[in-house]
Amino acid sequence: MMEFFPVDDLRNDAVCLRLDSTREEQPEKRWLPAYYFSICLPDGTKIGNCDLRIGHNDKTYIGGNIGYGIYPPYRGHHYAAEACMLLFRQARKHHLDYLIITCDPGNRASARTCELAGGQYLETVPVPEDNEMYAEGKRQVMVWRFGLAAPAVLEGEHIRLRRAKPADWKSMLENVWGNEAVYRWMLFPPALTEEAARERCARSIAYQQAHPAWFVALKSTDEAIGLCAIRDDGERHYEEAGICVGTKYQGLGYGKEIVSLLLKLVFLDLGAKDVRYGYFRENEKSKKLAEHFGFRYDGTYELTRPWDGAVKTIDTSLLTREQYMKQGEKG
């Protein structure tokens, strides 16, 4: 039996999804496991329905992973697109890389929903005669694909987390890789020359294409001033895998913005069970940052830093999904 994950985070300023039921897989019908929701306004008024089917087969390519419907009095406010984006959040918890949504070629409103939700139109295909939709009179469907990888950009109030660019080598050399006050807290070695910084920037670009890792940039100038990353063990246990900001940008609240964005991503979009935060014991700033977000001390270990042989004591702290949801988002 498939594990159905919590849905208490499926809400935004426009709509919230109320779970009505779930359905286990029915292989004989080629039906996948599914969630069924009521779409509601924030005050609880029901305005429609939606469902999410987990996985992919020949039927989901025709019928889609998501179905939705908005009651006539509430149409025209993009509520269906809002509901779809909340369902994307639930799908990420199941480690789905993409979803398919289909619609009738003549249904312009549904096609517009797919556009608003960020879909990529693939093709229009005939409905097979052995599909239930054929018996309902449907003969063609438009097929839309929605990628669910960790976003390339996360926007905060003053900073954005974005993918690395070739030109970032210069600011990263100044702010991070060549800044002793920063790299002494990191596990990776410094990059003290232009050649080394260019090479590391190229490697960062390649790495970030396949992993949830970003450069930290000022929204006002797009200058790269730091970096951050997360990783998981495949079972929805995440850990912070490096957070830093250049010394001249410390003390301005950017660290809190970074952690706030990462926690929102892992708990609300990726469905993390918990997040572990590690830092050098003598790094009081990192300790205070962890405490600000409600992390609780979890353990201590020692490691030998590869690039200089220094033996470092690492303290770790843990924040669970239940704790995060109870305290609400912090910044």
Side-chain angles (χ1 to χ4, degrees):
M1 296 176 63
M2 189 189 79
E3 178 182 5
F4 289 94
F5 298 132
V7 299
D8 52 336
D9 56 348
L10 302 186
R11 60 182 183 273
N12 57 29
D13 292 339
V15 298
C16 60
L17 304 186
R18 185 179 67 222
L19 182 65
D20 295 326
S21 63
T22 58
R23 184 195 68 206
E24 291 290 346
E25 181 181 14
Q26 297 184 29
E28 69 281 2
K29 297 181 179 179
R30 307 199 306 283
W31 288 359
L32 297 171
Y35 296 83
Y36 295 89
F37 298 93
S38 293
I39 305 173
C40 302
L41 297 177
D43 65 4
T45 302
K46 183 175 179 179
I47 62 171
N49 298 280
C50 62
D51 57 84
L52 171 65
R53 295 174 278 280
I54 304 301
H56 301 287
N57 62 18
D58 61 319
K59 279 202 168 183
T60 56
Y61 193 78
I62 300 300
N65 291 100
I66 287 176
Y68 50 79
I70 300 295
Y71 300 153
Y74 301 99
R75 292 173 183 169
H77 300 281
H78 309 315
Y79 291 139
E82 296 285 352
C84 286
M85 288 185 279
L86 292 176
L87 293 177
F88 299 164
R89 177 179 293 174
Q90 193 69 10
R92 289 188 180 100
K93 300 173 187 177
H94 292 272
H95 294 284
L96 293 182
D97 296 325
Y98 70 95
L99 293 178
I100 294 294
I101 299 179
T102 66
C103 66
D104 188 289
N107 190 338
R108 179 55 193 160
S110 190
R112 180 57 178 157
T113 292
C114 292
E115 293 171 353
L116 290 170
Q120 174 191 5
Y121 170 72
L122 297 182
E123 60 179 337
T124 297
V125 297
V127 176
E129 293 186 13
D130 65 347
N131 189 290
E132 291 94 335
M133 295 170 61
Y134 191 91
E136 297 170 359
K138 297 179 180 179
R139 296 296 181 263
Q140 288 185 316
V141 291
M142 299 176 70
V143 181
W144 300 77
R145 187 185 190 277
F146 299 78
L148 298 180
V153 179
L154 298 172
E155 293 277 355
E157 182 179 358
H158 303 100
I159 55 101
R160 67 169 55 92
L161 311 185
R162 61 161 174 78
R163 299 296 192 233
K165 302 176 183 178
D168 288 332
W169 72 267
K170 188 172 184 179
S171 57
M172 289 298 288
L173 173 62
E174 176 184 353
N175 293 318
V176 180
W177 298 328
N179 186 333
E180 192 276 337
V182 174
Y183 68 69
R184 70 191 182 98
W185 300 117
M186 307 301 293
L187 295 179
F188 56 75
L192 301 177
T193 65
E194 175 180 338
E195 180 181 3
R198 286 182 180 275
E199 179 184 355
R200 181 163 295 173
C201 195
R203 284 193 277 116
S204 296
I205 292 171
Y207 181 84
Q208 291 175 9
Q209 289 175 347
H211 298 86
W214 304 264
F215 279 178
V216 180
L218 297 175
K219 290 181 69 173
S220 58
T221 64
D222 201 41
E223 177 188 0
I225 64 170
L227 54 81
C228 64
I230 55 174
R231 57 177 172 242
D232 78 293
D233 64 356
E235 298 294 332
R236 298 192 296 132
H237 300 285
Y238 282 77
E239 63 179 326
E240 168 271 324
I243 294 175
C244 69
V245 173
T247 49
K248 67 181 180 181
Y249 299 103
Q250 294 177 8
L252 301 175
Y254 297 155
K256 290 180 180 178
E257 276 198 55
I258 295 168
V259 176
S260 180
L261 289 170
L262 294 180
L263 292 182
K264 183 177 180 181
L265 172 68
V266 297
F267 282 123
L268 301 188
D269 288 338
L270 303 181
K273 294 178 180 178
D274 51 55
V275 178
R276 179 164 280 103
Y277 187 103
Y279 47 88
F280 292 171
R281 171 167 288 181
E282 63 268 32
N283 191 338
E284 284 294 323
K285 290 182 180 179
S286 285
K287 179 181 179 181
K288 290 180 179 179
L289 188 60
E291 292 173 345
H292 172 81
F293 286 94
F295 282 84
R296 299 177 182 178
Y297 173 75
D298 183 54
T300 298
Y301 65 94
E302 287 190 345
L303 60 76
T304 300
R305 190 160 57 183
W307 61 274
D308 65 354
V311 177
K312 293 294 183 180
T313 299
I314 307 295
D315 286 338
T316 65
S317 54
L318 192 74
L319 181 66
T320 67
R321 174 187 171 82
E322 290 72 24
Q323 292 164 346
Y324 177 81
M325 297 303 293
K326 183 176 180 179
Q327 70 185 10
E329 299 171 23
K330 300 179 78 172

